[in-house]
Amino acid sequence: MNSNDRVLVIAAHPDDEVLGCGGTIARYRAEGCDVRVVFMAEGITARFSPSEFDTDAVKEKSAKRNADALEAMTVLGVNTDQVFLSERHCCRLDQVPLIELTKQIEDHIREFSPTHMFTHAPDDPNIDHVTVHKAVLPAIRPIKGQHLRGVFAFEVLSSTEWNPLKPYAPTVFQDITDSITQKIAAMQKYESEIHPPPHPRSPEVLQALARFRGAQAGLDYAEGFVLIRGINL
């Protein structure tokens, strides 16, 4: 990790980025690295029927979730002009042509020239999460001129752990001992998504997971990732 690193986070919904790599984002920003966060969908409409999508109540909830995302990114030190929101409906990304999602990701790679990328794991039960992973893979194909040195998959509590047949097994760990407080504070900006324990999106469980991932790597607190591709790491 050095100040020349450029980090691109491709997340399905607002809050996935904090749950998946919020502590790591904060660390990169503390080192002076540029970070861009791209959301491929909004995070509310899965809870409503399509007939309700255009109602004022649902629109307000979606707008609030997006506003929460900007506040959360501010906590982590990400400039709001590097946060890209989406109006695609939640948990319906599988209905979008994959090429459309891939080309959007390619545009960000071409414009931002990231050295590191973080995105969803392939065996996540959430349809949007796994669709984003599938869209990322062709976007990161190793072509001349690409600057990516490391591409990593993250876990999202309250989703990734719901696949007991293919449990998430991180191979790379990032020390977030100095940023676990920021991660939890950022998650608390998502007022509709934070819950009391034992819910996975409670501050206590977020801290417990970071403690466990840290123990796997001999650290106080860590986030665990699966390396998709690495070059000269």
Side-chain angles (χ1 to χ4, degrees):
M1 184 180 293
N2 63 69
S3 59
N4 294 321
D5 290 339
R6 297 173 64 81
V7 179
L8 178 60
V9 179
I10 305 294
H13 319 107
D15 82 356
D16 291 337
E17 82 294 355
V18 175
L19 293 167
C21 57
T24 298
I25 290 173
R27 277 209 60 194
Y28 274 110
R29 288 299 295 140
E31 293 292 329
C33 304
D34 291 328
V35 175
R36 175 175 291 192
V37 178
V38 177
F39 299 109
M40 304 302 289
E42 53 79 49
I44 290 294
T45 51
R47 300 166 187 174
F48 301 91
S49 65
S51 63
E52 298 175 285
F53 289 172
D54 290 329
T55 63
D56 289 341
V58 173
K59 288 181 178 179
E60 288 174 7
K61 288 180 182 295
S62 183
K64 177 63 165 63
R65 182 73 166 267
N66 286 341
D68 290 348
L70 295 176
E71 289 192 23
M73 291 303 91
T74 298
V75 171
L76 299 182
V78 178
N79 297 329
T80 55
D81 64 354
Q82 290 300 322
V83 180
F84 293 79
L85 301 165
S86 175
E87 296 303 320
R88 293 192 187 99
H89 294 309
C90 179
C91 289
R92 288 174 170 80
L93 285 180
D94 59 323
Q95 300 174 19
V96 179
L98 199 64
I99 187 65
E100 177 182 321
L101 304 177
T102 295
K103 284 190 173 296
Q104 179 184 351
I105 297 165
E106 286 178 331
D107 287 344
H108 283 286
I109 292 174
R110 188 162 41 248
E111 178 189 343
F112 187 65
S113 296
T115 60
H116 297 74
M117 181 185 291
F118 295 84
T119 193
H120 292 277
D123 297 314
D124 196 299
N126 184 290
I127 189 63
D128 280 1
H129 295 181
V130 72
T131 300
V132 168
H133 178 86
K134 290 178 179 179
V136 163
L137 292 181
I140 63 168
R141 60 194 183 278
I143 58 177
K144 187 175 181 180
Q146 194 178 89
H147 298 92
L148 279 168
R149 299 199 309 272
V151 183
F152 306 90
F154 54 64
E155 62 186 320
V156 174
L157 271 174
S158 76
S159 183
T160 314
E161 79 275 15
W162 291 350
N163 186 350
L165 298 180
K166 291 186 178 180
Y168 182 80
T171 57
V172 178
F173 299 86
Q174 184 65 253
D175 187 349
I176 63 165
T177 302
D178 293 335
S179 57
I180 180 63
T181 301
Q182 275 178 277
K183 178 185 174 99
I184 292 173
M187 189 60 205
Q188 288 175 320
K189 294 298 182 181
Y190 288 107
E191 296 178 356
S192 64
E193 304 307 307
I194 200 80
H195 300 280
H199 195 283
R201 291 195 302 268
S202 64
E204 292 84 353
V205 175
L206 285 175
Q207 185 166 356
L209 177 64
R211 175 68 86 176
F212 175 63
R213 295 302 182 210
Q216 290 181 295
L219 303 167
D220 288 335
Y221 293 97
E223 288 172 333
F225 306 102
V226 174
L227 178 64
I228 298 173
R229 187 172 75 231
I231 301 173
N232 296 332
L233 292 177

